[in-house]
Amino acid sequence: MIPFSVLDLSPIPRGATAADAFAHSLDLARHAEQWGFQRYWLAEHHNMTGIASAATSVMIGHIAAGTKTIRVGSGGIMLPNHAPLVIAEQFGTLASLFPGRRIDLCLGRAPGTDQTTACAMRRDLVGSAESFPDDVVELQRYFADPVEGQRVRAVPGAGLHVPIWLLGSSLFSAQLAAALGLPFAFASHFAPDYLLTALQVYRSQFRPSASLDKPYAMVGVNVFAADDADQARFLFTSLQQQFINLRRGTPGQLPPPVESIAWTEAERAGVEHSLACSVVGDRTDVEAGLRSVMEQTQADELIVTAQIFDHQARLRSFEITAQVRETLGATV
């Protein structure tokens, strides 16, 4: 059976604080470890009042310190926002604090925010995006064994061979991951359009490397599971509202679920399109939905995310997902 992992955006529900989100993330990570999830990733976003994981490497340290065996990493670090050496030092530090290859570094090419905020981070948006392939290679060198005459080293970082992944929602990162022989994660949980094409490109163009001898693809899925299908659909409205608010230019904290969403037909169509890679329902629905995703994508791993307002309901959703994984594993 393929591994299931967790993608946590560390949501801040309406009326809560970042401190609440951090406590909830650690609690979820501890449960995820008990339930057999493979890894626990956090995503870099900035200037978003509903997401608490802006300082992603700090959050990774928080989660890793509070767990024992589950792999912890980024999904992803937005490399255009950072100098590769700084990321090498941060993740070299994490890998040194939590040895045994517990730390993953998945890299994205987008800024993870709007252009105004990206400028506030003092980065050249165009130049940083264009230099992404070179920056990835530079970062790989910092994690490699140092060579004689190397004037700049990541300390810590050099020789630690921290696993690098590429994250994408288009063909660009699929092609780059294939060319560099790296594992590839597709952000289909919010941008599903190129999912199957990107996977085909990645697999067909993959070149074996010192990191990986054959393609390894992870697929992102929103899973909203509950003991009752109607309750699951109710919980899903929080994410739907969040997407509408983002499109309206009024992002905020994660809203509570509602019985009926006030949206236009165009807004509804846009949100449903973006969230097409979502599985919502009771255990039977979730089993059928995830089986379908696995069959269509032939993914090597699924990474599951759930922006659920109530923490206990969120825990239950991931618990059901873990149970479904066991059922699927017994039937393949």
Side-chain angles (χ1 to χ4, degrees):
M1 180 60 192
I2 69 171
F4 281 19
S5 293
V6 175
L7 173 62
D8 180 15
L9 302 186
S10 198
I12 307 175
R14 187 174 297 165
T17 66
D20 296 324
F22 299 150
H24 291 161
S25 288
L26 181 55
D27 188 47
L28 175 57
R30 287 170 170 163
H31 280 88
E33 184 172 72
Q34 295 173 4
W35 293 330
F37 284 91
Q38 175 84 354
R39 59 190 96 234
Y40 194 98
W41 282 4
L42 296 126
E44 178 184 350
H45 293 81
H46 299 281
N47 194 29
M48 300 188 73
T49 56
I51 297 176
S53 53
T56 315
S57 59
V58 177
M59 274 293 292
I60 290 170
H62 173 61
I63 299 299
T67 54
K68 296 179 180 178
T69 58
I70 194 168
R71 298 188 64 88
V72 188
S74 62
I77 288 290
M78 302 297 113
L79 193 55
N81 297 337
H82 312 278
L85 177 60
V86 172
I87 295 303
E89 292 170 340
Q90 290 177 1
F91 278 77
T93 299
L94 288 166
S96 298
L97 287 169
F98 308 102
R101 293 180 70 81
R102 281 194 67 198
I103 302 299
D104 296 324
L105 173 55
C106 186
L107 302 168
R109 189 168 64 110
T113 188
D114 57 87
Q115 289 196 350
T116 302
T117 306
C119 290
M121 290 188 286
R122 308 296 194 270
R123 297 292 288 173
D124 174 7
L125 294 182
V126 176
S128 296
E130 290 179 349
S131 68
F132 180 71
D134 292 335
D135 288 347
V136 173
V137 172
E138 180 182 347
L139 188 50
Q140 287 182 301
R141 286 200 299 268
Y142 289 134
F143 288 136
D145 295 326
V147 298
E148 185 177 352
Q150 183 175 341
R151 299 184 62 185
V152 179
R153 299 185 183 185
V155 183
L160 294 183
H161 304 280
V162 175
I164 294 177
W165 294 61
L166 292 190
L167 168 69
S169 59
S170 67
L171 303 186
F172 182 92
S173 290
Q175 293 171 324
L176 182 60
L180 297 178
L182 296 174
F184 177 55
F186 194 87
S188 36
H189 59 291
F190 73 89
D193 285 357
Y194 296 99
L195 170 60
L196 297 180
T197 305
L199 292 177
Q200 190 277 328
V201 166
Y202 170 65
R203 289 165 176 152
S204 65
Q205 298 183 11
F206 183 84
R207 300 176 185 173
S209 69
S211 302
L212 198 62
D213 62 356
K214 61 181 180 179
Y216 192 95
M218 174 192 283
V219 171
V221 188
N222 299 294
V223 177
F224 286 70
D227 294 303
D228 176 81
D230 288 337
Q231 177 66 11
R233 287 188 285 269
F234 178 66
L235 297 174
F236 187 46
T237 63
S238 289
L239 180 60
Q240 291 172 316
Q241 292 176 83
Q242 190 176 54
F243 266 64
I244 294 170
N245 293 337
L246 188 61
R247 283 159 169 72
R248 290 174 178 174
T250 57
Q253 294 180 320
L254 183 68
V258 293
E259 294 292 345
S260 179
I261 300 176
W263 52 8
T264 67
E265 283 302 313
E267 287 174 332
R268 178 173 182 164
V271 170
E272 290 179 348
H273 180 81
S274 295
L275 300 180
C277 198
S278 298
V279 176
V280 182
D282 60 16
R283 179 170 172 166
T284 301
D285 298 325
V286 170
E287 180 181 336
L290 291 180
R291 187 189 301 276
S292 177
V293 171
M294 291 162 56
E295 290 175 349
Q296 289 182 54
T297 64
Q298 295 297 301
D300 298 291
E301 186 170 338
L302 295 186
I303 188 161
V304 175
T305 186
Q307 294 286 83
I308 295 177
F309 183 82
D310 178 76
H311 180 58
Q312 293 305 315
R314 192 170 184 235
L315 289 179
R316 181 59 181 148
S317 181
F318 280 101
E319 182 179 23
I320 292 172
T321 303
Q323 293 168 351
V324 165
R325 180 191 174 277
E326 294 303 314
T327 300
L328 291 171
T331 58
V332 294

